[in-house]
Amino acid sequence: MRPLTRRSFVASAAAGVTSFALLRPALAATYKLATNLPAGHPMLARLQEAADKIAADTNGEFTLRFFPNSQLGGDLEVLSQLRSGAIQFYPLAGAQLSNLVPIASLNGVGFAFKDISDVWKAMDGEVGTMVRGALRDSGLFVFDEMFDNGFRQITTGSKPIEKPGDLAGLHIRVPPSPLSTSLFKAFGAAPQSISFGEVYTALQTKLVDAQENPLPLVDSGKFYEVQKYVSMTNHMWDGFWILANQAFWQKQPQATRDIVAKRFREAALAEREDLVKLTGSIITKLKGAGMTFVEPDRQAFRTHLDGTPFYAEWKERFGAQAWATLERYTGKLG
Ligand code: X2X
């Protein structure tokens, strides 16, 4: 056995530290974040940035593994996985969430918001508070700030949508959401509820001729490969709530919860700015990919909707109080 010298002592101490450091990951945990968003979406870039900061802030003890592109299943299937605890985090839009918590699609009422500044006044104000409360009452944990999905535009393969009558009979994919289905039925369209992960194939196989989504999803979902026209209808705004499994979240130390909430808040506020800055470059990219943009008369669509039972029906379904709260940010609807 070699005599113990200063050099050999230091070497063995370092080895000891190294082996303890190797044990540390055994205390660390990796949690699952699933999403229907395509890997290239700006929201995922900011969420990955948040995950990297959380890992650093927790010395590697709290890491996130991402499952984008609907890898784990359809929109509502993955919501069930979140509720069971099979996954720990799930960003999801109010549209899909409305299947579990109907009020979650309140911000998606057709032609409600005139611009993004009014959206954030509502969603960081009374409308967001009301929806968040209802989501928490349903047993989900939901973080305070929404990410921006954006104002939704209609893309089509065969003809541009220039006026309300162009929607009559249109086979259009919508998210699995009663409000989205109702909106397009009010225009005489033939909406089909399809999970986001299946939209590209539905368009490619002509199962549907159209879909409607914000431009960042037309881009990151590569819909420019299977669609020709973009009609800038701004017919609906939606955002993403970041959801966590309640039981999992309650088990986390307060210090960890504070770190995760802080980094998700930073990510949400940064992503909102990203979407504003990226709009011009996305339009340029989509035009370069062969898409033709149409700027329809949005007031004509709103006037058409005023002449249908749509607003009265949804005021009834959401309730007068929720509707009045929304109208404080949108002006009178219907
Ligand atoms: O499913 C969609 O269209 C999407 C991705 O925009 C939502 O989650 C609402």
Side-chain angles (χ1 to χ4, degrees):
M1 183 178 172
R2 287 183 308 153
L4 184 60
T5 64
R6 183 175 179 280
R7 177 189 293 268
S8 61
F9 173 76
V10 169
S12 58
V17 168
T18 306
S19 58
F20 175 69
L22 286 175
L23 281 176
R24 288 290 287 177
L27 303 176
T30 297
Y31 300 110
K32 294 178 179 175
L33 185 150
T35 174
N36 60 4
L37 292 171
H41 193 279
M43 194 185 308
L44 284 188
R46 288 296 185 182
L47 280 172
Q48 183 59 61
E49 187 180 60
D52 295 344
K53 291 177 180 175
I54 292 165
D57 293 347
T58 60
N59 299 317
E61 292 196 358
F62 190 108
T63 56
L64 290 176
R65 183 179 170 194
F66 283 55
F67 295 86
N69 295 309
S70 303
Q71 284 175 35
L72 298 185
D75 300 347
L76 302 184
E77 193 182 344
V78 176
L79 181 57
S80 299
Q81 292 171 22
L82 176 78
R83 298 181 72 199
S84 73
I87 61 169
Q88 289 72 46
F89 295 97
Y90 188 32
L92 191 61
Q96 279 88 340
L97 273 169
S98 68
N99 291 274
L100 177 67
V101 179
I103 197 77
S105 63
L106 180 63
N107 52 259
V109 168
F111 298 94
F113 292 106
K114 67 177 185 303
D115 59 35
I116 196 64
S117 64
D118 285 351
V119 166
W120 297 127
K121 287 174 190 157
M123 302 319 293
D124 291 337
E126 295 170 274
V127 175
T129 300
M130 179 169 45
V131 173
R132 222 176 9 251
L135 289 170
R136 286 172 178 163
D137 290 347
S138 76
L140 293 168
F141 180 82
V142 53
F143 290 89
D144 286 344
E145 286 77 20
M146 284 188 101
F147 283 71
D148 190 7
N149 191 14
F151 279 97
R152 302 178 77 90
Q153 320 301 344
I154 298 173
T155 68
T156 50
S158 55
K159 64 174 184 177
I161 302 302
E162 296 173 315
K163 57 189 182 303
D166 293 339
L167 288 172
L170 181 71
H171 290 275
I172 183 168
R173 176 270 174 182
V174 294
S177 159
L179 179 68
S180 300
T181 298
S182 169
L183 176 63
F184 283 92
K185 282 188 171 175
F187 285 96
Q192 289 188 46
S193 294
I194 299 173
S195 281
F196 185 76
E198 298 157 35
V199 174
Y200 185 96
T201 302
L203 294 167
Q204 189 179 42
T205 59
K206 304 277 188 252
L207 176 66
V208 291
D209 183 51
Q211 69 86 43
E212 44 83 52
N213 248 294
L215 297 182
L217 278 164
V218 176
D219 175 28
S220 56
K222 298 186 179 353
F223 297 154
Y224 50 83
E225 295 176 351
V226 289
Q227 296 277 263
K228 173 68 181 158
Y229 301 99
V230 181
S231 295
M232 299 294 279
T233 48
N234 278 13
H235 57 273
M236 177 186 282
W237 179 85
D238 208 351
F240 277 73
W241 295 103
I242 306 295
L243 309 170
N245 172 272
Q246 185 75 268
F248 150 77
W249 186 250
Q250 293 307 327
K251 286 183 196 139
Q252 302 311 308
Q254 187 59 49
T256 303
R257 287 189 278 181
D258 292 346
I259 288 169
V260 176
K262 172 190 172 188
R263 296 305 186 185
F264 278 176
R265 177 177 308 113
E266 291 170 351
L269 299 180
E271 187 265 353
R272 295 178 186 182
E273 291 179 21
D274 292 345
L275 257 57
V276 173
K277 292 172 190 165
L278 287 170
T279 300
S281 58
I282 290 175
I283 290 174
T284 301
K285 177 181 176 184
L286 295 177
K287 286 181 177 175
M291 298 197 90
T292 300
F293 279 69
V294 171
E295 288 283 356
D297 172 5
R298 284 189 274 272
Q299 185 53 49
F301 287 83
R302 173 67 191 270
T303 302
H304 171 96
L305 211 48
D306 283 335
T308 74
F310 176 83
Y311 287 117
E313 177 193 339
W314 285 95
K315 179 177 180 178
E316 178 76 24
R317 291 177 72 163
F318 285 131
Q321 185 187 351
W323 196 261
T325 302
L326 178 65
E327 286 186 323
R328 281 200 281 279
Y329 299 90
T330 63
K332 184 144 178 53
L333 295 169

